Amino acid sequence: MAVDDAIDHEHPVVRRTVATLSADARDAYAYAEAAFTFVRYQKFEAVHGLIALKLPGRERWVWQDARGGEAGAGAQFRLDREQLAFAVRPEFNEVDHPVLFAEPHPAVLQCLRDAVDQRRLTQLLPTAL
């Protein structure tokens, strides 16, 4: 992701986390899996989307779904195909958008800034980007 006012790659907590995760990683692939696992088992009270990786030696981006630290979630770190934590349910108007953003979408950032709690965040989130 690009560095901006929402993504601060130089923040001390981010730098310490990167150092910890990369210490035992033998290559970019092992580091990517360690980062995936780190994010997967955290409990977030905020929205997050899929991430995409383009690792050395690969010609295409690979989607990763870090949701999955809860029962019933099926996400796994995979480089051969996308494996979502939960199946997309078209009958509930759910859509898997194949769009990559280098930085968080402004509409999502505004919702995160304006929401006072998770309930309000759910009300504010856009239905399309």
Side-chain angles (χ1 to χ4, degrees), residues 33-49:
E33 186 169 8
F36 172 86
T37 301
F38 173 78
V39 171
R40 181 176 185 184
Y41 292 106
Q42 293 184 70
K43 178 163 175 48
F44 290 106
E45 296 299 332
V47 172
H48 66 278

mmCIF file of all heavy atoms in Angstrom, residues 33-49:
data_model
loop_
_atom_site.group_PDB
_atom_site.id
_atom_site.type_symbol
_atom_site.label_atom_id
_atom_site.label_comp_id
_atom_site.label_asym_id
_atom_site.label_seq_id
_atom_site.Cartn_x
_atom_site.Cartn_y
_atom_site.Cartn_z
ATOM 1 N N GLU A 33 3.428 -14.667 4.266
ATOM 2 C CA GLU A 33 2.595 -15.596 5.044
ATOM 3 C C GLU A 33 2.587 -15.219 6.527
ATOM 4 O O GLU A 33 1.553 -15.293 7.192
ATOM 5 C CB GLU A 33 3.071 -17.035 4.863
ATOM 6 C CG GLU A 33 2.143 -18.028 5.525
ATOM 7 C CD GLU A 33 2.429 -19.467 5.150
ATOM 8 O OE1 GLU A 33 3.450 -19.745 4.494
ATOM 9 O OE2 GLU A 33 1.616 -20.329 5.519
ATOM 10 N N ALA A 34 3.726 -14.786 7.059
ATOM 11 C CA ALA A 34 3.783 -14.360 8.461
ATOM 12 C C ALA A 34 2.894 -13.135 8.688
ATOM 13 O O ALA A 34 2.173 -13.052 9.689
ATOM 14 C CB ALA A 34 5.226 -14.058 8.861
ATOM 15 N N ALA A 35 2.925 -12.193 7.756
ATOM 16 C CA ALA A 35 2.075 -11.003 7.877
ATOM 17 C C ALA A 35 0.602 -11.385 7.794
ATOM 18 O O ALA A 35 -0.231 -10.877 8.550
ATOM 19 C CB ALA A 35 2.432 -9.990 6.790
ATOM 20 N N PHE A 36 0.261 -12.297 6.901
ATOM 21 C CA PHE A 36 -1.117 -12.788 6.774
ATOM 22 C C PHE A 36 -1.587 -13.401 8.088
ATOM 23 O O PHE A 36 -2.664 -13.097 8.587
ATOM 24 C CB PHE A 36 -1.180 -13.826 5.648
ATOM 25 C CG PHE A 36 -2.490 -14.538 5.540
ATOM 26 C CD1 PHE A 36 -3.528 -13.996 4.794
ATOM 27 C CD2 PHE A 36 -2.691 -15.761 6.159
ATOM 28 C CE1 PHE A 36 -4.742 -14.658 4.676
ATOM 29 C CE2 PHE A 36 -3.897 -16.428 6.051
ATOM 30 C CZ PHE A 36 -4.932 -15.875 5.311
ATOM 31 N N THR A 37 -0.773 -14.249 8.670
ATOM 32 C CA THR A 37 -1.129 -14.910 9.924
ATOM 33 C C THR A 37 -1.265 -13.896 11.053
ATOM 34 O O THR A 37 -2.179 -13.980 11.866
ATOM 35 C CB THR A 37 -0.075 -15.978 10.276
ATOM 36 O OG1 THR A 37 -0.021 -16.929 9.207
ATOM 37 C CG2 THR A 37 -0.427 -16.696 11.565
ATOM 38 N N PHE A 38 -0.380 -12.919 11.095
ATOM 39 C CA PHE A 38 -0.452 -11.878 12.126
ATOM 40 C C PHE A 38 -1.779 -11.131 12.057
ATOM 41 O O PHE A 38 -2.461 -10.954 13.058
ATOM 42 C CB PHE A 38 0.710 -10.894 11.958
ATOM 43 C CG PHE A 38 0.624 -9.700 12.869
ATOM 44 C CD1 PHE A 38 0.967 -9.802 14.198
ATOM 45 C CD2 PHE A 38 0.189 -8.477 12.384
ATOM 46 C CE1 PHE A 38 0.877 -8.702 15.043
ATOM 47 C CE2 PHE A 38 0.100 -7.374 13.217
ATOM 48 C CZ PHE A 38 0.446 -7.489 14.544
ATOM 49 N N VAL A 39 -2.169 -10.725 10.890
ATOM 50 C CA VAL A 39 -3.418 -9.979 10.716
ATOM 51 C C VAL A 39 -4.626 -10.873 10.958
ATOM 52 O O VAL A 39 -5.608 -10.472 11.566
ATOM 53 C CB VAL A 39 -3.483 -9.350 9.311
ATOM 54 C CG1 VAL A 39 -4.855 -8.756 9.036
ATOM 55 C CG2 VAL A 39 -2.414 -8.281 9.165
ATOM 56 N N ARG A 40 -4.549 -12.110 10.520
ATOM 57 C CA ARG A 40 -5.696 -13.022 10.576
ATOM 58 C C ARG A 40 -6.215 -13.235 11.995
ATOM 59 O O ARG A 40 -7.412 -13.317 12.207
ATOM 60 C CB ARG A 40 -5.297 -14.369 9.968
ATOM 61 C CG ARG A 40 -6.428 -15.349 9.956
ATOM 62 C CD ARG A 40 -6.009 -16.616 9.276
ATOM 63 N NE ARG A 40 -7.156 -17.488 9.177
ATOM 64 C CZ ARG A 40 -7.094 -18.693 8.701
ATOM 65 N NH1 ARG A 40 -5.963 -19.172 8.260
ATOM 66 N NH2 ARG A 40 -8.171 -19.432 8.646
ATOM 67 N N TYR A 41 -5.342 -13.342 12.995
ATOM 68 C CA TYR A 41 -5.817 -13.682 14.347
ATOM 69 C C TYR A 41 -5.971 -12.484 15.255
ATOM 70 O O TYR A 41 -6.182 -12.629 16.444
ATOM 71 C CB TYR A 41 -4.902 -14.741 14.953
ATOM 72 C CG TYR A 41 -5.061 -16.020 14.200
ATOM 73 C CD1 TYR A 41 -4.074 -16.424 13.338
ATOM 74 C CD2 TYR A 41 -6.206 -16.792 14.337
ATOM 75 C CE1 TYR A 41 -4.220 -17.566 12.611
ATOM 76 C CE2 TYR A 41 -6.357 -17.940 13.620
ATOM 77 C CZ TYR A 41 -5.361 -18.350 12.761
ATOM 78 O OH TYR A 41 -5.505 -19.489 12.022
ATOM 79 N N GLN A 42 -5.917 -11.298 14.695
ATOM 80 C CA GLN A 42 -6.230 -10.123 15.489
ATOM 81 C C GLN A 42 -7.735 -9.925 15.467
ATOM 82 O O GLN A 42 -8.397 -10.307 14.529
ATOM 83 C CB GLN A 42 -5.578 -8.884 14.888
ATOM 84 C CG GLN A 42 -4.067 -8.896 14.963
ATOM 85 C CD GLN A 42 -3.541 -7.594 14.437
ATOM 86 O OE1 GLN A 42 -3.699 -6.568 15.072
ATOM 87 N NE2 GLN A 42 -2.921 -7.638 13.281
ATOM 88 N N LYS A 43 -8.267 -9.321 16.506
ATOM 89 C CA LYS A 43 -9.685 -8.983 16.513
ATOM 90 C C LYS A 43 -9.800 -7.504 16.188
ATOM 91 O O LYS A 43 -9.291 -6.667 16.902
ATOM 92 C CB LYS A 43 -10.321 -9.272 17.872
ATOM 93 C CG LYS A 43 -11.791 -8.875 17.902
ATOM 94 C CD LYS A 43 -12.495 -9.523 19.054
ATOM 95 C CE LYS A 43 -13.915 -9.080 19.197
ATOM 96 N NZ LYS A 43 -14.734 -9.079 18.043
ATOM 97 N N PHE A 44 -10.446 -7.211 15.089
ATOM 98 C CA PHE A 44 -10.645 -5.836 14.672
ATOM 99 C C PHE A 44 -12.092 -5.446 14.863
ATOM 100 O O PHE A 44 -12.992 -6.222 14.598
ATOM 101 C CB PHE A 44 -10.296 -5.659 13.188
ATOM 102 C CG PHE A 44 -8.836 -5.766 12.909
ATOM 103 C CD1 PHE A 44 -8.317 -6.887 12.293
ATOM 104 C CD2 PHE A 44 -7.980 -4.752 13.266
ATOM 105 C CE1 PHE A 44 -6.971 -6.989 12.025
ATOM 106 C CE2 PHE A 44 -6.627 -4.839 13.001
ATOM 107 C CZ PHE A 44 -6.123 -5.966 12.388
ATOM 108 N N GLU A 45 -12.309 -4.252 15.305
ATOM 109 C CA GLU A 45 -13.661 -3.698 15.396
ATOM 110 C C GLU A 45 -13.825 -2.691 14.269
ATOM 111 O O GLU A 45 -14.410 -1.640 14.441
ATOM 112 C CB GLU A 45 -13.878 -3.034 16.758
ATOM 113 C CG GLU A 45 -13.800 -4.005 17.925
ATOM 114 C CD GLU A 45 -14.852 -5.105 17.868
ATOM 115 O OE1 GLU A 45 -15.935 -4.898 17.300
ATOM 116 O OE2 GLU A 45 -14.571 -6.186 18.399
ATOM 117 N N ALA A 46 -13.252 -3.006 13.131
ATOM 118 C CA ALA A 46 -13.314 -2.113 11.978
ATOM 119 C C ALA A 46 -13.378 -2.948 10.706
ATOM 120 O O ALA A 46 -13.128 -4.144 10.718
ATOM 121 C CB ALA A 46 -12.089 -1.214 11.948
ATOM 122 N N VAL A 47 -13.662 -2.297 9.645
ATOM 123 C CA VAL A 47 -13.783 -2.947 8.351
ATOM 124 C C VAL A 47 -12.397 -3.170 7.758
ATOM 125 O O VAL A 47 -11.518 -2.338 7.899
ATOM 126 C CB VAL A 47 -14.595 -2.041 7.404
ATOM 127 C CG1 VAL A 47 -14.596 -2.582 5.991
ATOM 128 C CG2 VAL A 47 -16.001 -1.908 7.928
ATOM 129 N N HIS A 48 -12.224 -4.262 7.110
ATOM 130 C CA HIS A 48 -11.016 -4.459 6.316
ATOM 131 C C HIS A 48 -11.385 -5.227 5.067
ATOM 132 O O HIS A 48 -12.362 -5.955 5.032
ATOM 133 C CB HIS A 48 -9.906 -5.151 7.107
ATOM 134 C CG HIS A 48 -10.217 -6.561 7.503
ATOM 135 N ND1 HIS A 48 -10.983 -6.861 8.600
ATOM 136 C CD2 HIS A 48 -9.878 -7.737 6.946
ATOM 137 C CE1 HIS A 48 -11.098 -8.186 8.702
ATOM 138 N NE2 HIS A 48 -10.438 -8.728 7.715
ATOM 139 N N GLY A 49 -10.629 -5.038 4.038
ATOM 140 C CA GLY A 49 -10.897 -5.702 2.770
ATOM 141 C C GLY A 49 -9.843 -6.739 2.484
ATOM 142 O O GLY A 49 -8.966 -7.014 3.303
#
